[in-house]
Amino acid sequence: MKVLGIIGSNRKAGNTATMVSKILSTLEEMNIETEKLFLSDYNYSSCNGCEGCRKTYKCVLKDDMQDIYKKIMETDAIVIGSPTYFYNITAETKAFLDRLYCYEIFDSDDRSVWIPLNEVLGLKYAVTVSVCEQEKEEDMGFTPLALSKPLEALGYRVIENLKVLKVFEAGKVNEIPENIKKAENAGKKLGRYMLLRKNIAGSIKTDNKQ
Ligand SMILES: Cc1cc2nc3c(=O)[nH]c(=O)nc-3n(C[C@H](O)[C@H](O)[C@H](O)COP(=O)(O)O)c2cc1C
């Protein structure tokens, strides 16, 4: 079992990174392996809509997204965070999510029939983290939905959409224990889902052997 943390802020010691890192360290304490990446460390373009992925479910663009695809395929859950930039996710996060379009499979005659690759390979879990400076949820605009809707369409069960308000300076989130608690709770919840699933899978295998 492995969880991939994906950070859509350029601020490596920023609020999004802090929240995602706390969720991951909570999972590590539950003996669940994690890996973290900053999208800003990868060079990738936005989706160009070439539809080159139609038959293979693989993106044909040869850039650093290829490394991220490998990590995504290897993991059972993702924790993705983005700060709010003008009521939405950051450009890096949007481009990243659009590049996951290769994992949507459409019926060749009827495009209203489509399934995510995860529906075939097995559902995965996700937690989203949205971070903004202002104090009202409406100041986050589309951020939480811009993260969760594509993931749901990609066959992720989004078990928590964390919203962190009123943090501006990088790392400010650390000074507010309530936020750190929120991250720990989200990590524990995700961990419990993963362990429950693993235990059920194990008991089904044992039953079948009897
Ligand atoms: C280009 C830009 C646009 C922003 N737009 C918003 C906004 O619409 N609403 C808001 O509350 N905060 C906005 N912010 C503030 C950030 O969301 C906030 O500082 C956040 O804590 C940054 O997270 P980070 O430390 O993970 O980078 C904006 C910041 C930048 C740089």
Side-chain angles (χ1 to χ4, degrees):
M1 282 188 304
K2 192 169 173 186
V3 181
L4 181 64
I6 301 167
I7 296 158
S9 166
N10 286 326
R11 301 206 289 189
K12 293 211 164 164
N15 299 312
T16 311
T18 306
M19 290 295 289
V20 171
S21 301
K22 189 71 211 169
I23 295 172
L24 297 183
S25 63
T26 306
L27 287 160
E28 290 274 347
E29 282 163 23
M30 297 170 86
N31 293 322
I32 295 171
E33 192 186 349
T34 70
E35 185 177 347
K36 179 170 74 181
L37 65 82
F38 287 85
L39 291 175
S40 55
D41 286 340
Y42 294 80
N43 269 317
Y44 55 93
S45 63
S46 51
C47 174
N48 62 11
C50 71
E51 300 288 338
C53 53
R54 271 314 96 227
K55 291 200 170 71
T56 60
Y57 326 128
K58 289 192 171 109
C59 180
V60 294
L61 298 179
K62 298 291 171 238
D63 58 18
D64 288 355
M65 261 309 285
Q66 296 302 334
D67 297 333
I68 305 183
Y69 289 133
K70 267 191 219 116
K71 294 180 194 293
I72 284 175
M73 292 307 280
E74 282 165 14
T75 45
D76 309 286
I78 63 172
V79 176
I80 183 166
S82 173
T84 296
Y85 275 15
F86 280 123
Y87 309 101
N88 216 319
I89 53 179
T90 60
E92 292 85 350
T93 313
K94 175 68 173 136
F96 161 74
L97 288 169
D98 286 350
R99 289 289 297 275
L100 300 183
Y101 176 70
C102 54
Y103 294 143
E104 294 293 4
I105 309 164
F106 293 80
D107 182 276
S108 48
D109 298 321
D110 180 357
R111 283 186 60 84
S112 73
V113 176
W114 55 270
I115 54 172
L117 192 60
N118 282 344
E119 211 162 295
V120 182
L121 301 179
L123 173 138
K124 294 188 178 186
Y125 297 104
V127 168
T128 74
V129 181
S130 304
V131 177
C132 87
E133 172 190 359
Q134 300 299 328
E135 62 182 295
K136 293 196 209 96
E137 216 173 292
E138 67 198 56
D139 295 312
M140 285 196 147
F142 307 103
T143 314
L145 275 180
L147 290 170
S148 63
K149 292 294 280 180
L151 292 177
E152 283 164 8
L154 286 158
Y156 285 86
R157 179 162 172 194
V158 181
I159 61 157
E160 190 92 45
N161 289 300
L162 279 192
K163 294 166 192 150
V164 181
L165 306 158
K166 278 169 77 174
V167 286
F168 172 59
E169 295 92 1
K172 176 79 182 168
V173 81
N174 258 325
E175 294 169 24
I176 306 158
E178 185 199 331
N179 289 328
I180 300 304
K181 193 80 207 149
K182 266 194 206 171
E184 278 170 4
N185 288 342
K188 277 186 201 152
K189 195 169 169 187
L190 175 58
R192 286 205 189 101
Y193 268 94
M194 296 181 75
L195 292 170
L196 180 61
R197 180 174 168 153
K198 187 183 169 198
N199 289 342
I200 295 167
S203 69
I204 289 169
K205 264 188 212 142
T206 318
D207 283 355
N208 288 345
K209 273 189 199 148
Q210 284 167 357

